[in-house]
Amino acid sequence: MELSGIILKFAFMFFRFSLLFLLTGSVFSLSAQNGGVKGYVKDSKTGVEIDNAQVSVKGTDVQVSTNSEGYYIINGLAPGVHTIIATIPNYKPDSFTLTVKPEVINVHNFFLVPEIQTIGSGKIVNVKKRRREDVDIGATKIKPSQLFKIPTIGGTPDLVQYLQILPGVVFSGDQGGQLYIRGGSPVMNKITLDGMTIYNPFHSIGLFSIFDVDLMKSADVYSAGFGVEYGGRVSAIVDVKTRDGNKNKLAGNFSASPFLGKLSLEGPLRKFIPGRGSSSFIVSLKNSYLDRSSKLFYQYADPSKLPYNFNDLYTKFTFNSSNGSSIKLFGFNFRDNVNFPGSTSYGWKQSGLGSRFTLIPEGKQSKIDGFITYSDYQIEQKELDNKPRSSSISGLNMGVVANSYNKKDEIKYGFEVNAFSTDFSIFNANNRQISQQEFTTELCGFGLYKWVRQRFTLEAGTRVQYYASLGNTSLEPRVSGKYLLTKKLIFKAAVGKYSQNLLSAFSDRDVVNLFYGFLSGPDNLQKKFNGEEVKSRLQLARHAVAGFDYDINKYSEIGVEGFYKSFDQITNINREKLFDDDGNYSVYSERLKKDYIVESGNAYGADIRYKFDNVKRVYIWAVYSLTYVNRFDGLNSYSPHWDRRHNANFVMDYVLDKNNRWSANLRWNFGSGFPFTQTQGFYEKFDFQNGPSTNYAQTNGQLGILYAGFNEGRLPTYHRLDGSVRYNFKPKNNFKSYIVFSVTNIYNRQNIFYFDRVNYTRVNQLPVLPAISYSASF
């Protein structure tokens, strides 16, 4: 069946299930014995949703917090007249009188008036209170303002730079670097942008991602034990959401640095008026010219080693109704190119279109969210050996999620359809080609119930993943909870089961590799692993994580978490394949013929973090992670190349004057050495392509390398200090601007990138790189 026909089939299925969700949502609503109210809490000037606002019923102990979307619901109210109040620091409280009727959920949106806020006056209040409804185990919630508290490489803040300071996160390098989260490889992490899967979120320079911080609304990172809403990955989730465009006026911002330039424009299609519908747009363009600017500014760093170029385009349209229902349309085009002279050329591109909708049914307690997206990713790498690597993945993803409530408790359920095709071709270390073309379909459903009480929150649910193309089903129960031992001390824990079909199109044994392709569960897989029959082509894992948070005072807190991930089955490229898997080589073992092998492993460790934030002047963030990562390939146990035992980060941001004109920040990172395979010697290698008639006595062979035990060595330790100073110019009308002077690798630490075995040359990470940038908004 052609892809267009499959898309139409799934779209029709999606429509029918959406109607079913609307009906079931109504059924849940009609079961309520009392009435209630739901809606959003928004800023009265901008129309932006306010999260963690407190909505309460006067004269009762009923109180809820708005979620990250500014949404709240109070149900189970007895019929009669009630006063509903919304409050949050830095805004004036608001209230209204509600006449509650049986089995009716009213809709009311609050529009809070912001109070005048200046750091010098001391009127800003630190909003530190956690949502009682959220468990937050293994989770970190990131706001755009936090990205400015760390040194900005090249003067430009970026999400990838902030992710590196989170507990359990290991970053492999400045050039072609990838993120490894609590023992999982990059392909085991699902990264989404407005619900759409992003297959390669990081540019090849490793310092920048495809996410524009000026458009970002939030980023939620789940490093272990994530809930049933997320699936298709066995290690971690990074969920990035963008904000809507300005709903009142035409606005924009631009910036320039030696690394890149950015430009964005936004404005209303229909202006925001409290209580009415509105619409807006936003478009962002980002372009890197480091391959050219390095020749001018960084001659000492050898510009031939900085041949990086990329450009990103993102567009979003938002349409909001008066009651809070909305539809959002978005699209993107990201491109990346690298050209090492006389060596390797590499490039990837990804594009996509999508929509998200939210329905707030009148009179019912349900809330329904849905999405439909299409994306395409292509990557190619060419080298001097004339054996190019290529990979592509494209597909359709759609789903619906419904929320219903039983007083403070929450019921959430949903379904998802994921259909994608993969096409890739590579050569392994023995010059054997491995290729695959595959179309894959995944059907997923989940349901959860969240109990919310005064001192504890418990969330239990199950996700069912049906991999239609493989004929495998995975039942994935997951439980998480937290308990308030005291007002300052919270204990949290989670366990769960996970699965995924997608795997990376290069071996995770490669230390340096810009090529990052994908393929789905392969057929050419060994039949037995570790003496037992391989019954599934899925990759499977189990998580357990527990810890506590302690509020030392109103400015500082400490957190400790321990985790264990059991990777029960992993699929990897077979680096040892020597023969084609046909009748001509039937006498050889599967390990020498199969394209892929099965592995198992585990990851475990603990993290401790400390945060101090008094808003006015000082921000301190300190994290230490201890991690062990192990793999077993059926014959040997080994440490993958991201097995960094010790990792520490220290960040400090300080406002230098009372008017908030000058500020400075520092970040110091320390990491113990990565595993690597040592070289024992060299020999002349023949491939015997002519069989027994190969004249090896008179023919020149290739250079062969005799390796020591796999990854039994350790590279030197890594540490680096970055810093930046920011000056905010005095605003003029609506024009605001600032300048940043930054230095990457202040004391010019020579951190190793990799070692060229053949030329016996050490290649280091980036040297000291000063930069100055200018940014402005209007």
Side-chain angles (χ1 to χ4, degrees):
M1 184 181 295
E2 294 183 356
L3 183 60
S4 59
I6 294 173
I7 291 175
L8 289 175
K9 179 180 178 180
F10 282 143
F12 181 66
M13 182 191 306
F14 175 77
F15 177 73
R16 290 191 297 175
F17 272 98
S18 299
L19 290 178
L20 176 63
F21 266 65
L22 283 170
L23 293 175
T24 55
S26 299
V27 172
F28 273 109
S29 299
L30 292 175
S31 65
Q33 299 299 315
N34 298 313
V37 61
K38 64 180 180 180
Y40 289 87
V41 178
K42 301 183 178 183
D43 187 299
S44 64
K45 293 186 176 180
T46 64
V48 174
E49 297 84 2
I50 303 173
D51 66 331
N52 208 23
Q54 306 302 307
V55 182
S56 58
V57 181
K58 186 177 181 180
T60 72
D61 61 353
V62 176
Q63 179 176 286
V64 298
S65 302
T66 57
N67 63 13
S68 60
E69 300 171 348
Y71 180 78
Y72 77 94
I73 181 170
I74 298 175
N75 58 15
L77 294 178
V81 178
H82 298 272
T83 300
I84 314 299
I85 306 170
T87 62
I88 189 172
N90 305 322
Y91 285 87
K92 296 179 180 179
D94 190 20
S95 64
F96 79 102
T97 300
L98 170 69
T99 300
V100 175
K101 298 180 180 180
E103 299 184 350
V104 175
I105 302 295
N106 296 270
V107 176
H108 181 83
N109 297 323
F110 287 95
F111 298 94
L112 303 186
V113 178
E115 295 180 333
I116 298 176
Q117 304 172 20
T118 59
I119 288 182
S121 67
K123 291 185 178 180
I124 290 183
V125 180
N126 187 9
V127 185
K128 186 180 176 180
K129 184 175 180 180
R130 302 181 181 91
R131 293 187 75 242
R132 183 174 58 183
E133 297 87 342
D134 295 335
V135 177
D136 288 341
I137 180 68
T140 303
K141 299 183 182 297
I142 304 170
K143 296 294 184 181
S145 58
Q146 295 173 245
L147 275 60
F148 290 88
K149 294 184 180 296
I150 65 173
T152 53
I153 296 177
T156 305
D158 195 279
L159 179 61
V160 68
Q161 300 169 25
Y162 193 87
L163 292 175
Q164 298 172 34
I165 71 170
L166 299 185
V169 174
V170 170
F171 187 60
S172 61
D174 304 328
Q175 304 177 64
Q178 293 289 338
L179 290 178
Y180 301 87
I181 303 178
R182 281 184 168 170
S185 63
V187 75
M188 296 178 179
N189 306 324
K190 188 173 188 177
I191 300 180
T192 62
L193 176 62
D194 289 328
M196 180 182 294
T197 301
I198 301 297
Y199 295 103
N200 194 349
F202 308 120
H203 288 294
S204 52
I205 182 63
L207 303 175
F208 303 101
S209 68
I210 54 94
F211 308 111
D212 187 344
V213 64
D214 293 320
L215 271 63
M216 197 180 93
K217 178 182 179 181
S218 65
D220 297 330
V221 181
Y222 303 93
S223 60
F226 49 90
V228 296
E229 303 98 315
Y230 300 100
R233 296 296 188 275
V234 296
S235 184
I237 302 293
V238 180
D239 185 5
V240 181
K241 297 181 178 66
T242 61
R243 63 179 178 85
D244 299 336
N246 194 306
K247 301 173 184 178
N248 293 310
K249 61 181 180 180
L250 187 65
N253 66 70
F254 61 89
S255 64
S257 75
F259 287 73
L260 58 85
K262 297 196 305 179
L263 175 67
S264 67
L265 191 65
E266 58 186 301
L269 299 174
R270 181 184 180 186
K271 285 190 175 182
F272 166 73
I273 299 176
R276 299 185 184 181
S278 64
S279 57
S280 63
F281 77 92
I282 189 167
V283 58
S284 170
L285 178 63
K286 183 167 57 175
N287 179 258
S288 171
Y289 34 74
L290 185 60
D291 56 338
R292 289 159 292 183
S293 62
S294 60
K295 298 175 183 178
L296 178 63
F297 298 108
Y298 305 117
Q299 279 287 339
Y300 65 91
D302 191 353
S304 65
K305 296 180 180 179
L306 297 171
Y308 302 100
N309 174 268
F310 64 81
N311 57 77
D312 302 331
L313 175 66
Y314 183 86
T315 304
K316 181 178 182 181
F317 295 90
T318 303
F319 304 89
N320 298 294
S321 69
S322 58
N323 76 336
S325 297
S326 66
I327 184 169
K328 304 181 182 192
L329 309 174
F330 54 90
F332 61 79
N333 188 292
F334 307 133
R335 295 175 182 269
D336 190 291
N337 293 283
V338 181
N339 186 11
F340 290 97
S343 177
T344 302
S345 64
Y346 153 94
W348 60 256
K349 58 183 179 181
Q350 54 185 329
S351 57
L353 295 169
S355 67
R356 298 187 66 87
F357 66 83
T358 298
L359 299 178
I360 311 294
E362 296 281 353
K364 311 299 179 182
Q365 64 172 318
S366 58
K367 173 178 174 287
I368 300 169
D369 297 284
F371 62 90
I372 180 169
T373 65
Y374 175 82
S375 63
D376 178 75
Y377 170 75
Q378 300 176 36
I379 183 172
E380 185 177 29
Q381 180 172 320
K382 297 179 180 179
E383 301 186 33
L384 296 180
D385 58 7
N386 293 320
K387 294 177 180 178
R389 306 178 182 187
S390 64
S391 176
S392 66
I393 179 170
S394 60
L396 182 73
N397 183 223
M398 59 186 74
V400 175
V401 177
N403 296 66
S404 190
Y405 297 85
N406 178 19
K407 294 186 178 179
K408 296 180 180 180
D409 298 346
E410 179 182 2
I411 304 165
K412 181 182 286 189
Y413 50 100
F415 80 92
E416 185 177 343
V417 179
N418 189 18
F420 61 89
S421 61
T422 57
D423 183 358
F424 92 100
S425 175
I426 65 171
F427 292 83
N428 72 357
N430 294 316
N431 293 327
R432 305 299 298 179
Q433 185 177 18
I434 299 176
S435 61
Q436 183 201 58
Q437 289 183 330
E438 189 73 39
F439 182 84
T440 304
T441 305
E442 300 174 4
L443 304 176
C444 322
F446 74 87
L448 67 85
Y449 192 94
K450 182 187 291 186
W451 290 266
V452 181
R453 298 297 182 265
Q454 188 66 30
R455 298 183 68 87
F456 79 89
T457 299
L458 180 65
E459 180 180 305
T462 297
R463 185 179 184 93
V464 179
Q465 293 264 150
Y466 175 60
Y467 299 89
S469 304
L470 304 181
N472 295 134
T473 301
S474 178
L475 184 65
E476 302 171 6
R478 304 173 193 175
V479 179
S480 63
K482 71 176 181 181
Y483 185 78
L484 279 69
L485 297 172
T486 68
K487 290 183 178 180
K488 292 187 175 183
L489 182 61
I490 301 174
F491 175 78
K492 305 178 292 184
V495 294
K497 184 179 179 182
Y498 307 87
S499 68
Q500 79 176 63
N501 178 27
L502 206 63
L503 63 144
S504 58
F506 70 92
S507 174
D508 62 16
R509 295 185 176 190
D510 293 332
V511 176
V512 180
N513 198 326
L514 295 176
F515 181 81
Y516 195 67
F518 296 93
L519 61 153
S520 57
D523 295 314
N524 194 255
L525 194 66
Q526 64 199 77
K527 297 180 180 179
K528 287 188 176 183
F529 172 69
N530 203 23
E532 297 182 0
E533 182 182 356
V534 177
K535 299 180 179 179
S536 170
R537 286 186 281 162
L538 296 176
Q539 300 184 78
L540 305 170
R542 291 169 292 159
H543 293 186
V545 57
F548 67 86
D549 291 334
Y550 180 71
D551 293 333
I552 300 173
N553 52 46
K554 65 179 181 179
Y555 297 127
S556 59
E557 64 183 54
I558 189 172
V560 177
E561 283 187 0
F563 71 94
Y564 183 87
K565 294 181 180 180
S566 175
F567 298 107
D568 301 322
Q569 181 169 316
I570 305 170
T571 306
N572 208 344
I573 298 291
N574 185 5
R575 292 172 59 90
E576 299 179 7
K577 178 181 177 180
L578 292 174
F579 309 106
D580 293 329
D581 190 16
D582 55 35
N584 296 325
Y585 303 97
S586 58
V587 297
Y588 295 100
S589 67
E590 288 186 323
R591 194 176 186 87
L592 299 178
K593 298 184 298 182
K594 296 297 184 180
D595 289 338
Y596 314 96
I597 59 173
V598 174
E599 297 184 348
S600 63
N602 59 41
Y604 57 93
D607 309 302
I608 182 170
R609 59 175 172 79
Y610 170 80
K611 183 174 76 170
F612 177 90
D613 186 2
N614 72 349
V615 178
K616 300 178 184 178
R617 284 291 181 92
V618 181
Y619 175 87
I620 297 174
W621 172 268
V623 176
Y624 168 75
S625 299
L626 174 67
T627 307
Y628 295 83
V629 187
N630 304 291
R631 291 287 186 270
F632 177 66
D633 63 8
L635 293 177
N636 303 297
S637 296
Y638 69 95
S639 299
H641 66 80
W642 64 89
D643 178 31
R644 170 166 280 173
R645 188 73 64 244
H646 307 282
N647 193 53
N649 278 279
F650 177 81
V651 174
M652 181 175 181
D653 180 77
Y654 186 73
V655 178
L656 300 174
D657 67 319
K658 65 179 182 179
N659 295 319
N660 195 27
R661 292 286 187 86
W662 288 94
S663 62
N665 47 44
L666 292 170
R667 178 211 171 187
W668 185 72
N669 175 220
F670 171 86
S672 56
F674 287 122
F676 82 107
T677 303
Q678 297 164 307
T679 304
Q680 286 188 327
F682 301 91
Y683 65 96
E684 191 173 11
K685 180 180 180 180
F686 296 92
D687 56 18
F688 289 94
Q689 291 184 353
N690 296 324
S693 62
T694 301
N695 188 352
Y696 59 85
Q698 297 181 359
T699 303
N700 291 325
Q702 297 177 336
L703 179 64
I705 301 175
L706 182 62
Y707 296 99
F710 183 72
N711 276 357
E712 292 182 354
R714 288 275 172 175
L715 294 173
T717 57
Y718 172 98
H719 55 87
R720 193 181 80 188
L721 178 67
D722 301 333
S724 64
V725 177
R726 170 170 165 165
Y727 177 75
N728 297 310
F729 293 100
K730 186 176 181 179
K732 295 182 179 180
N733 298 324
N734 292 320
F735 187 85
K736 300 178 181 179
S737 62
Y738 64 88
I739 191 169
V740 174
F741 175 74
S742 65
V743 181
T744 303
N745 197 3
I746 291 177
Y747 51 75
N748 200 25
R749 163 72 176 181
Q750 294 184 352
N751 293 301
I752 189 170
F753 183 29
Y754 68 94
F755 193 83
D756 186 337
R757 304 174 191 270
V758 176
N759 297 308
Y760 202 77
T761 302
R762 170 174 168 157
V763 180
N764 290 323
Q765 305 272 15
L766 296 178
V768 56
L769 289 178
I772 189 168
S773 69
Y774 176 79
S775 301
S777 61
F778 55 91

